[in-house]
Amino acid sequence: MNKLSVAKRAQIIGMLVEGNSMRAVSRMADCSINTVTKLLVDVGTACSQYQFETLRNLPCKTLQCDEICSFCYSKEKNVPEERKGEYGIGDVYTWTAICADTKLVPSFLVGKRDAEYGNAFMLDLASRLSNRVQLTTDGHKAYLNAVENAFGSNIDYAMLIKIYGAPQATDDERRYSPAICTGTEIRPINGNPDIAKTSTSYVERQNLTMRMSMRRFTRLTNGFSKKIENLEHAVALHFMHYNFARIHKTLKVTPAMEAGVSNHVWTLEEIASLSD
């Protein structure tokens, strides 16, 4: 049976985590698209399992959470009538949390933007922390019960609600112009959150990192996921690379090293070897 060498697998993984599409990777690495897909599945599964087991008892103190939108199969408005409401078809959201101090992403979840997934995400996040934290989210209502169910009173929690105005653009340009943030409102929800630390800036910047590092999240392209399982594997691989192998410019080390869960910068070969 033919099996890619660790060096070849590392090469393919390096291309994927730098934002290349799977077909582009198959051309550059001179291998079939099926080989790239199988590697993504194998390594993505291993990365998900490794982070699930390793990112525990974390010393995070200040956390920010958000959801980033993508889609599978087709955009929501183009989903065939007979497939509407089917999981993994149409809009898909990735829930993420980031530690403002270590820049570690301790928890992520691909799914719907509803109360069920909000609860699952917050329960997973709470299970990974070693101490009381301050948490900031946007105004999404699903967070209210989810945070209460996961943390109870053992949290300092606030919502940062942004107020948007209409985009200043002509009708032809309006669809590509983001709305203008005209103000913010901070709502303390639980405990005694420090208003000076109430922010979602880091997690929103993490959204940009995801869009730049995963072709599936790039807007207005045909590189989107066709199957939600492959999206989940790509997200797991991305955060494995981000947390353990990518030196953060501000920290000068990786987020995992800053958080004390790793003692070195991981290589692509080490990530590739996880699937063994």
Side-chain angles (χ1 to χ4, degrees), residues 45-55 240 244 266 274:
T45 301
C47 289
S48 180
Q49 184 66 24
Y50 182 85
Q51 291 177 96
F52 178 80
E53 296 173 355
T54 304
L55 299 181
M240 185 71 205
F244 289 87
W266 278 51
L274 282 176

Side-chain angles (χ1 to χ4, degrees), residues 169-187:
T170 63
D171 290 340
D172 291 339
E173 297 174 343
R174 189 178 299 273
R175 63 181 295 193
Y176 303 116
S177 301
I180 298 173
C181 180
T182 59
T184 59
E185 177 186 351
I186 295 176
R187 293 183 185 175

Side-chain angles (χ1 to χ4, degrees), residues 103-120:
K103 308 303 184 293
L104 183 79
V105 174
S107 182
F108 53 89
L109 179 65
V110 176
K112 298 180 180 179
R113 192 173 182 257
D114 60 14
E116 179 184 356
Y117 279 88
N119 270 307

Side-chain angles (χ1 to χ4, degrees), residues 30-45:
D30 193 24
C31 59
S32 73
I33 184 68
N34 292 336
T35 299
V36 178
T37 302
K38 185 178 185 306
L39 179 63
L40 175 67
V41 172
D42 291 345
V43 176
T45 301

Side-chain angles (χ1 to χ4, degrees), residues 214-231:
M214 285 183 280
R215 189 64 169 171
R216 298 162 190 273
F217 284 80
T218 305
R219 300 180 187 272
L220 302 176
T221 71
N222 62 354
F224 57 88
S225 295
K226 312 309 184 289
K227 292 167 44 177
I228 192 168
E229 293 83 2
N230 288 346
L231 175 62

